[in-house]
Amino acid sequence: MAEPMQNDLGVEPPRADRPDEPSRVDGGRRGALKVLCALGGAAYAGAIVVPAVKMLAPSSEGGAGAARWMRVCRLADLTEGEPRRVVVVGDERDAYTVTRDQLLGSIWLTKKGEGVTALSAVCPHLGCSIDLNADKKSFFCPCHTSRFSLAGAAEAGPSPRDMDPLTVRVVEGNVEVDFKLFRQGIAERKEVG
Ligand code: FES
């Protein structure tokens, strides 16, 4: 089984399957480093990576269209108008097995008043991880230099569509995202089941 996920303070957040278990601190940083390496240096240009681990309502059937709510951070963790990346870690399931604590993807969150917008950080071209430009006025993909506005609109490069938006809700101060992945390389936005 994979090692427990930790944030960059060495804290293992509570797990969905052990909701009453408190977060643990052991001073280790290996979990956070593993995520950062997997993202190819995600903490770039002021981006702050927050591991998000809590799956609230995993699909019982799986597949496209099923809600997969992930609790990703506190609303208070976000700064008005400033995009912030969260890394999504959860359990991967197939018909026979559950693999714990897998890196599922990452999301750019932006607070706007009491609301939050979410954009998948997976590039619609070929799936590289989209970063925030150093001036924090646009997003870019380092693989083939696609550029996107802060609202996710494709502005340059080979990306066949805008960044993929995700549905967000705020529940008792927690930001929750219906986490989905989409097909790459096509203009149409089609969810991957
Ligand atoms: S993978 Fe992002 S531009 Fe090609």
Side-chain angles (χ1 to χ4, degrees):
M1 188 173 70
E3 294 179 2
M5 180 54 55
Q6 298 172 339
N7 64 21
D8 54 3
L9 297 176
V11 178
E12 180 192 346
R15 293 174 47 112
D17 58 347
R18 300 198 294 265
D20 298 327
E21 181 177 293
S23 300
R24 295 197 296 265
V25 181
D26 67 8
R29 298 171 67 91
R30 285 181 299 157
L33 288 173
K34 189 164 63 178
V35 169
L36 292 176
C37 290
L39 286 170
Y44 180 87
I48 302 170
V49 178
V50 180
V53 296
K54 195 150 190 176
M55 185 179 297
L56 300 175
S59 160
S60 58
E61 302 295 329
R68 199 181 197 195
W69 288 104
M70 307 289 292
R71 183 174 295 168
V72 294
C73 67
R74 299 280 299 169
L75 182 62
D77 294 335
L78 303 177
T79 302
E80 183 73 21
E82 187 171 309
R84 183 170 187 178
R85 186 202 299 265
V86 293
V87 175
V88 178
V89 177
D91 298 340
E92 277 187 344
R93 302 165 189 268
D94 61 26
Y96 305 102
T97 59
V98 177
T99 308
R100 303 289 187 198
D101 299 332
Q102 297 301 295
L103 178 66
L104 303 179
S106 63
I107 300 169
W108 283 103
L109 299 174
T110 305
K111 181 175 182 289
K112 294 178 178 172
E114 290 306 301
V116 178
T117 61
L119 296 167
S120 172
V122 179
C123 181
H125 181 220
L126 293 177
C128 290
S129 187
I130 294 173
D131 282 320
L132 184 66
N133 259 318
D135 63 4
K136 300 185 180 181
K137 292 181 177 174
S138 62
F139 293 108
F140 78 103
C141 178
C143 288
H144 311 100
T145 63
S146 282
R147 192 182 71 236
F148 307 87
S149 72
L150 287 185
E155 295 180 331
S159 178
R161 63 175 187 267
D162 298 342
M163 292 170 70
D164 296 312
L166 300 170
T167 305
V168 185
R169 66 187 183 188
V170 179
V171 180
E172 298 178 347
N174 294 306
V175 179
E176 299 173 3
V177 175
D178 183 9
F179 181 69
K180 298 183 186 307
L181 296 170
F182 300 91
R183 280 187 60 183
Q184 296 151 16
I186 59 174
E188 187 181 358
R189 183 167 293 122
K190 290 186 96 173
E191 187 184 342
V192 177

